[in-house]
Structures are given as C-alpha cells and as structure tokens.
C-alpha cells in the first residue's frame, strides 16, 4: 500500500512539473516505469537491534544485560524490578507505548551509565513496570553515539579516534520481497 501511494505521489509530482514552464522539463524517458519502480526494492533486512551492554549506577551497582536499541523510543527505559529501589528517584514523567497506552511510571534513574569497551555514556532512564523488554535504549542514547554505522555485526561509532562496537545478539538476515509477497498471496487465498 505504501509503495502504491508513493508511486501515485511521484506521478502527481511529475505531472505538476510537466505543467510548469521550466528550463529543465522532465522528459518521459526519465520517468520510471512501474516495473523499474517496483524492482528498485527487492530485499529488506529483518532486525531488532538487541545489543550487549553493561549498565552502571552511581559506581556502586553494575550488571550486564541485553538492550533493545529503538530509534522510535523517546526515552531510555528499564523494567522497574531490575534495579534496587535505593537508586529510584520520584518523577512526574509520562510516557506512552507504541500502541498509545499510557505506561505506569513513578521513578527514574538520573545517574546511570551505559558502558562498552571502556567507554561510558551518561544517561537517564525511566523505570517502567509494564514493558516487554528489560532495557530499551531510545533517542537520548542514539544521539550520543551519532553518527554511527550499522552492519551485520552491530552498531559502530567513533569516539576520540576509537571505534566502539555494540554487537548484535543475533545477526541481521535478509529476505527477498518476492518471497514475502508470495507468502502473503498464499495466505490470502487460504483465507478465502
């Protein structure tokens, strides 16, 4: 559906440009055909970015865990029971899950460090009772490691001329879109 909308938007944009007088009119040979447009997207990567991290709180509590690196998360979150309650700080922060449901938040950690390869990144976390992941690293952490590169091994950034790698728990795997399309068509026929 997205491809269809995008294709019609491109066609509308091309038609608007053709109607406007310009020194560089779009020629019909430059307009991609349906086959050319669809064939430009032939593979996708399936990957939830689970990475290994060490989490330190006030130099007295440390543990290794697996975190979900989520570019759609507005905050860094930790499941409430993972951290001893002596480190909790009251908060009035509010947060909603991806489905719009309000999350139960009473506490935060303002002095926590995400460590890897001898480097530590100071971050604050919201303690959430009802999340499915133990640790979610969101936009605040991602902006600290930006710019970064992603490959099949993990997420890599360079700090003070040293490359720091947050390795994936599971490798990236590719799947052809034609296989997905055929699977989808088969499921629809079976439902009918």
């Amino acid at each position: 559906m997205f491809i269809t909308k995008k294709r019609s938007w491109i066609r509308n944009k091309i038609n608007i440009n053709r109607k406007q007088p310009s020194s560089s009119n779009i020629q019909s040979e430059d307009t991609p055909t349906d086959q050319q447009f669809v064939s430009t997207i032939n593979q996708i990567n399936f990957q939830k970015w689970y990475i290994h991290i060490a989490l330190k709180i006030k130099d007295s509590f440390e543990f290794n865990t697996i975190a979900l690196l989520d570019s759609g998360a507005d905050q860094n979150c930790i499941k409430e029971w993972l951290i001893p309650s002596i480190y909790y700080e009251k908060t009035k922060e509010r947060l909603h899950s991806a489905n719009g449901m309000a999350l139960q938040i009473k506490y935060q950690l303002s002095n926590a460090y995400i460590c890897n390869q001898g480097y530590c990144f100071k971050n604050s976390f919201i303690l959430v009772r009802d999340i499915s992941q133990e640790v979610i690293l969101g936009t605040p952490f991602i902006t600290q490691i930006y710019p970064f590169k992603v490959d099949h091994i993990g997420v890599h950034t360079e700090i003070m001329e040293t490359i720091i790698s947050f390795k994936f728990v599971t490798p990236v795997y590719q799947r052809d879109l034609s296989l997905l399309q055929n699977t989808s068509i088969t499921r629809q026929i079976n439902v009918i």
Side-chain angles (χ1 to χ4, degrees):
M1 178 158 169
F2 175 76
I3 293 173
T4 306
K5 285 184 178 179
K6 186 72 172 176
R7 192 179 320 140
S8 65
W9 178 82
I10 290 171
R11 283 187 182 141
N12 288 340
K13 192 73 169 166
I14 290 169
N15 288 336
I16 290 170
N17 287 339
R18 282 185 181 156
K19 291 176 185 174
Q20 295 174 348
S22 168
S23 60
S24 61
N25 283 335
I26 298 174
Q27 299 172 0
S28 61
E29 63 192 17
D30 293 337
T31 306
T33 65
D34 289 346
Q35 182 62 34
Q36 289 171 326
F37 184 82
V38 173
S39 66
T40 59
I41 303 171
N42 60 6
Q43 286 185 341
I44 58 173
N45 291 333
F46 283 98
Q47 176 75 37
K48 286 194 175 180
W49 291 2
Y50 289 103
I51 58 173
H52 296 279
I53 62 164
L55 195 64
K56 286 184 182 181
I57 301 168
K58 296 184 180 179
D59 294 329
S60 59
F61 180 75
E62 180 178 348
F63 69 99
N64 294 324
T65 188
I66 295 172
L68 173 64
L69 189 58
D70 185 356
S71 62
D74 293 333
Q75 296 289 335
N76 298 321
C77 302
I78 297 179
K79 210 168 224 185
E80 194 171 296
W81 57 267
L82 278 177
I83 308 297
S85 61
I86 60 170
Y87 300 109
Y88 291 8
E89 302 166 16
K90 290 268 189 192
T91 186
K92 293 184 180 186
E93 192 84 33
R94 297 195 190 279
L95 193 63
H96 289 82
S97 66
N99 66 6
M101 191 174 94
L103 299 172
Q104 294 180 359
I105 299 169
K106 294 181 184 176
Y107 305 104
Q108 70 176 0
L109 295 171
S110 60
N111 194 13
Y113 295 87
I114 300 162
C115 300
N116 188 6
Q117 295 174 266
Y119 288 87
C120 294
F121 302 88
K122 186 176 182 179
N123 277 271
S124 60
F125 285 85
I126 294 175
L127 297 163
V128 184
R129 287 185 182 182
D130 47 359
I131 58 173
S132 58
Q133 309 298 322
E134 289 184 353
V135 178
I136 299 173
L137 300 177
T139 305
F141 175 71
I142 292 171
T143 56
Q144 287 181 321
I145 64 170
Y146 188 82
F148 58 87
K149 293 180 183 177
V150 180
D151 62 16
H152 66 283
I153 297 169
V155 178
H156 315 281
T157 188
E158 187 175 335
I159 306 233
M160 298 184 340
E161 298 180 8
T162 302
I163 294 177
I164 301 169
S165 296
F166 294 90
K167 294 184 179 177
F168 291 138
V169 174
T170 57
V172 175
Y173 65 95
Q174 291 183 344
R175 191 162 179 191
D176 289 330
L177 284 179
S178 61
L179 295 174
L180 290 173
Q181 185 180 20
N182 292 339
T183 305
S184 174
I185 291 169
T186 304
R187 285 186 189 154
Q188 287 179 357
I189 291 172
N190 290 339
V191 170
I192 294 174

